[in-house]
Amino acid sequence: MESSAILTPSQLPYLFPSKSNRKKAYPSWPCSKPRTSQPTRLHCQKMYVPGFGEASPEAKGAKNLHNFFTYIAVRIVAAQLQSYNTEAYKELMEFMDSHSLNDGDKFCASLMRESSRHKGLALRILEVRSAYCKNDFEWDNLKRVAVKMVDESNTSIMREYVLETSQAESEK
Amino acid sequence: MESSAILTPSQLPYLFPSKSNRKKAYPSWPCSKPRTSQPTRLHCQKMYVPGFGEASPEAKGAKNLHNFFTYIAVRIVAAQLQSYNTEAYKELMEFMDSHSLNDGDKFCASLMRESSRHKGLALRILEVRSAYCKNDFEWDNLKRVAVKMVDESNTSIMREYVLETSQAESEK
């Protein structure tokens, strides 16, 4: 389980031989060293992620969360309206039925052009998603949950496989 | 626009009057106070997000990222194989053609059961997604980009609307 990722020169003793390096045993993968903040490419210890062109995986993830925040903002505003402005709530619900929330920005732009009342709702959704993203969303928790999820999923995938195959073996 | 979020007792002086509270001017919304770590519900200053049942928006976001990390891990492993193990690369590509990556865990579980060679690939993908999520993915950057995206999108949605309507006005 502890042996691949992009290797640094210090981990490739056959390419960059040095006396101190020769004596060590190198775990080849994955490299669990903390990232350095040096900007030069030579020192980048990260794995090469292809296929993102000029965008980064982080930007792609942020774009996804961006649409998610819009969805949440719509839910928040709807829940607020439901109790004290049922007419606006109904209008928002009707608009949601006929417009997809997959592209949050497009949804807001369309809502803004529907009528002056809808415009008010749209502005409110824009504000709520900004406030939610900055103040309410628990970013640390997101990371914690995601890391835990990877660990647990990896364990359960391997456990299930072992259980399946050991059962098959014992049945032979 | 400035009266929605969930209000705390200290923000509702007319319901919970106290001398010290009466003198302050309360910004009603969005409440930008830092979150308190007190566990009681009474102190929660966040907006109510409906519709997530027992799960949280953070867990939903993490689940999304989890599948994204699996996708990235597959891309990383494919790129690594492409240069030094074209046979394994081809096998992985063929498997990707016939299996969806939308559910990352399901993809890995199927890959593991395909053949013993595929099992090696699957184990490697599990390892890479764990290492990527923990070491390589820039969580701070994700937040920075997402917050910037919300601000810029909000501005551009409003700007476009104003441009459109002012143009329509001047054409009258």
Side-chain angles (χ1 to χ4, degrees):
Chain A
M1 279 320 269
E2 297 195 348
S3 52
S4 59
I6 283 189
L7 299 170
T8 57
S10 67
Q11 288 176 295
L12 298 167
Y14 41 93
L15 282 178
F16 304 88
S18 82
K19 277 186 182 169
S20 63
N21 277 346
R22 271 186 202 144
K23 287 170 192 164
K24 289 183 195 161
Y26 293 94
S28 62
W29 187 81
C31 165
S32 60
K33 277 190 191 173
R35 275 175 277 147
T36 56
S37 55
Q38 284 140 319
T40 48
R41 194 164 178 146
L42 207 67
H43 291 274
C44 180
Q45 306 191 351
K46 291 193 185 179
M47 296 179 277
Y48 169 61
V49 186
F52 281 88
E54 288 185 12
S56 64
E58 287 79 11
K60 178 101 194 240
K63 178 73 199 159
N64 232 311
L65 281 176
H66 180 67
N67 288 323
F68 184 53
F69 291 147
T70 312
Y71 166 79
I72 288 178
V74 170
R75 301 294 294 257
I76 290 174
V77 170
Q80 290 169 349
L81 290 173
Q82 197 170 11
S83 54
Y84 75 89
N85 190 340
T86 46
E87 202 183 336
Y89 173 75
K90 217 176 136 189
E91 278 180 348
L92 181 57
M93 286 295 132
E94 278 168 7
F95 189 84
M96 279 170 72
D97 284 342
S98 54
H99 294 79
S100 163
L101 251 165
N102 288 342
D103 185 338
D105 287 349
K106 203 176 151 194
F107 178 88
C108 292
S110 310
L111 185 62
M112 203 168 257
R113 284 155 180 80
E114 188 79 0
S115 79
S116 63
R117 284 195 314 277
H118 287 84
K119 191 180 82 180
L121 288 176
L123 288 172
R124 188 157 152 179
I125 289 165
L126 297 187
E127 266 185 85
V128 168
R129 75 174 179 182
S130 170
Y132 183 80
C133 164
K134 288 171 194 170
N135 307 319
D136 282 15
F137 191 69
E138 296 172 357
W139 293 92
D140 298 342
N141 211 7
L142 175 76
K143 180 181 177 179
R144 197 183 55 77
V145 175
V147 167
K148 199 177 154 209
M149 206 175 269
V150 161
D151 285 338
E152 288 179 353
S153 298
N154 283 5
T155 310
S156 95
I157 287 172
M158 290 189 278
R159 187 196 292 123
E160 273 162 32
Y161 177 77
V162 171
L163 279 175
E164 248 183 66
T165 47
S166 61
Q167 212 164 14
E169 295 270 312
S170 64
E171 278 169 7
K172 275 179 192 171
Chain B
M1 280 313 274
E2 300 199 343
S3 54
S4 36
I6 284 189
L7 298 171
T8 58
S10 67
Q11 289 176 294
L12 298 168
Y14 41 93
L15 282 178
F16 303 89
S18 82
K19 278 186 182 171
S20 63
N21 277 347
R22 270 186 205 144
K23 286 172 193 163
K24 289 183 194 162
Y26 292 95
S28 61
W29 191 81
C31 166
S32 59
K33 277 188 192 175
R35 277 174 277 148
T36 58
S37 56
Q38 285 140 320
T40 47
R41 192 165 179 147
L42 207 68
H43 291 274
C44 179
Q45 305 191 353
K46 291 192 186 179
M47 294 179 279
Y48 169 60
V49 186
F52 280 88
E54 286 184 14
S56 64
E58 286 79 11
K60 178 101 195 241
K63 177 75 199 155
N64 231 311
L65 280 175
H66 180 67
N67 288 323
F68 183 53
F69 291 146
T70 312
Y71 165 79
I72 288 178
V74 170
R75 300 294 296 257
I76 289 173
V77 170
Q80 288 171 349
L81 291 173
Q82 197 170 12
S83 54
Y84 75 89
N85 189 340
T86 47
E87 202 183 336
Y89 172 76
K90 216 176 135 190
E91 278 180 347
L92 181 57
M93 286 295 130
E94 277 168 8
F95 189 84
M96 279 171 72
D97 283 343
S98 54
H99 294 78
S100 164
L101 251 165
N102 287 343
D103 185 337
D105 288 349
K106 203 176 152 193
F107 178 88
C108 293
S110 310
L111 185 62
M112 203 168 257
R113 284 154 182 80
E114 188 79 359
S115 80
S116 63
R117 284 197 314 278
H118 287 86
K119 190 179 84 181
L121 287 176
L123 287 173
R124 187 157 155 181
I125 289 165
L126 296 187
E127 267 185 82
V128 168
R129 76 174 179 182
S130 170
Y132 183 81
C133 164
K134 288 170 194 168
N135 307 319
D136 282 15
F137 190 69
E138 297 172 357
W139 292 92
D140 298 342
N141 211 5
L142 175 76
K143 181 181 175 179
R144 197 183 54 76
V145 175
V147 166
K148 199 178 153 208
M149 206 175 269
V150 161
D151 284 338
E152 288 179 353
S153 298
N154 282 7
T155 310
S156 95
I157 287 173
M158 290 191 277
R159 187 195 293 122
E160 272 162 33
Y161 177 77
V162 170
L163 279 175
E164 247 183 67
T165 46
S166 61
Q167 213 164 13
E169 295 270 313
S170 63
E171 277 171 6
K172 274 178 191 172

